[in-house]
Each structure stands twice: as C-alpha cells, then as structure tokens.
Amino acid sequence: KREIFFRPTSMTLWCVMLLTIQSILVHTCAAIAHNSDELSARPQPSHVTDVLEAASRSLPLAPTMGMLFLAMRIFTLENTHGLGEPTQWTKRFVMLATIGMFCQVLTVMMLGVTTARKDGKRFIEQGSEDESAHPYVSRYDFNSGGTRSINLALQSVSLFGIYLGVSGVALNMALSGSFMGPESAACACATMLVLLY
C-alpha cells in the first residue's frame, strides 16, 4: 500500500480564504445598504452606504493578493516536487499583507464613525477618488485630534502591511528556485501582473 501524506492547512489557503470572506462580507453589506436606500426612496445614499462603498473600493487589492499568494504556493510546490513549504519569513509576509488588508477596511469603517460630516458633501466624496484604493485620511474633518491620530496610525499599518507583505512574497519568488524555468513561467507571469496592478 502507498502511504498518503496529509499536510496541515497552508498559510496561503488560510489567508486567501480570509481575504475572500472579507470581500464577500463588505460587498454583501454594501448591496444590502444600497437596496435599503432604494426601497426607502432616499434621494441620496445614506452615510452607512457611503462608508461601505468606500470600503468596497479598497477590495480589488484582495483578489490580486490572493492570486499572488497562490502563485507563490504553486511556485514552491513546483520547485520542491510537491513536498516543500514556503519559508517562514515568506509565510509571515503573507500574513502581514492579509492583516494590512483587514486594517485597510477597518480604517474606512473607523473614518465613518470618527469624522464629522461636511455640509453638502457625502462621506465618499470627502476623502477618496474613484481610482484610489486608499482613502485620503487627511481630507476628513475629525471629531477630535485623538481620532485623527488613530486613523492615521491605522492607515499607516495597513499600507505598510499590504505593500511590504506583497513585496516580500514577490522577492521570495525572485530569489528562490528557478524563477524563469519552463515549469514556473505561469507563476512568473502571474507575479509580474500582480506587481503591475
């Protein structure tokens, strides 16, 4: 009989699942808020809808990060004939990027609670643009100086986590194994597309 080898659930799978769940929850809540506004015949979206819409603008980074994490996992398995694991520091970079993504959404939610509303301006128009995945924290009027500092710190943690984590994973792939070998061409292309994104 051939022995079957079961490895524990990988860090890659955990992080991709968490990013997916986060995206589904935010988009579902935003859709419910939009529908509630429409059924209530509101002329303008509610504050809650604006906050959830701003949070959903940062979520296109999540599937891109998931694609990079899966490419890294496949790359590691290809270079170790299906038996290897990513290095510990690579796993930490994957966790760091995932935590950064959670902090990004938390930043938007905190902004919705801790900022003052400007007359005539919606929440989403105050501190973000359609193309930007990150809110401009300094454009908001805060209820107090302490909440401004908390939001700036939270956004700094999210930016640091996302970009350092993604860079660390890509660097690991570039420095280990035969990155441009014929069996790794798909992983190399996926990584380059993520970095371009």
Side-chain angles (χ1 to χ4, degrees):
K1 285 185 175 181
R2 185 179 171 189
E3 288 190 29
I4 300 175
F5 174 66
F6 292 100
R7 68 177 78 228
T9 306
S10 69
M11 180 62 63
T12 303
L13 182 60
W14 278 110
C15 290
V16 170
M17 284 191 315
L18 290 173
L19 290 170
T20 303
I21 291 167
Q22 177 188 17
S23 297
I24 289 171
L25 284 175
V26 171
H27 283 298
T28 301
C29 291
I32 290 169
H34 276 292
N35 289 338
S36 174
D37 289 347
E38 288 177 7
L39 292 172
S40 302
R42 289 178 188 246
Q44 290 288 325
S46 66
H47 182 69
V48 172
T49 305
D50 276 347
V51 171
L52 289 167
E53 188 178 331
S56 66
R57 285 185 181 176
S58 66
L59 290 175
L61 295 174
T64 309
M65 289 166 45
M67 186 173 80
L68 176 68
F69 300 161
L70 290 174
M72 179 269 305
R73 180 74 177 160
I74 293 167
F75 175 76
T76 302
L77 291 172
E78 283 179 346
N79 283 313
T80 59
H81 306 292
L83 300 174
E85 284 285 322
T87 60
Q88 283 301 316
W89 64 272
T90 307
K91 290 179 183 181
R92 288 189 183 108
F93 279 126
V94 169
M95 273 195 315
L96 182 64
T98 304
I99 290 168
M101 197 66 225
F102 277 99
C103 288
Q104 171 92 348
V105 173
L106 186 60
T107 300
V108 177
M109 300 297 180
M110 287 284 291
L111 284 170
V113 174
T114 60
T115 56
R117 296 182 185 144
K118 290 183 180 177
D119 293 332
K121 269 196 137 178
R122 293 173 47 202
F123 173 82
I124 199 160
E125 295 169 346
Q126 288 179 24
S128 65
E129 297 172 0
D130 288 341
E131 303 84 24
S132 178
H134 310 291
Y136 297 104
V137 174
S138 57
R139 290 186 185 173
Y140 288 95
D141 292 332
F142 290 89
N143 298 329
S144 70
T147 57
R148 179 186 183 89
S149 300
I150 291 169
N151 280 294
L152 285 170
L154 195 56
Q155 186 172 40
S156 299
V157 168
S158 74
L159 293 173
F160 176 79
I162 291 169
Y163 292 106
L164 182 67
V166 166
S167 300
V169 172
L171 184 65
N172 171 60
M173 291 176 68
L175 296 178
S176 63
S178 55
F179 190 65
M180 295 308 287
E183 69 278 350
S184 299
C187 294
C189 290
T191 303
M192 289 177 200
L193 286 173
V194 167
L195 294 178
L196 283 173
Y197 183 80

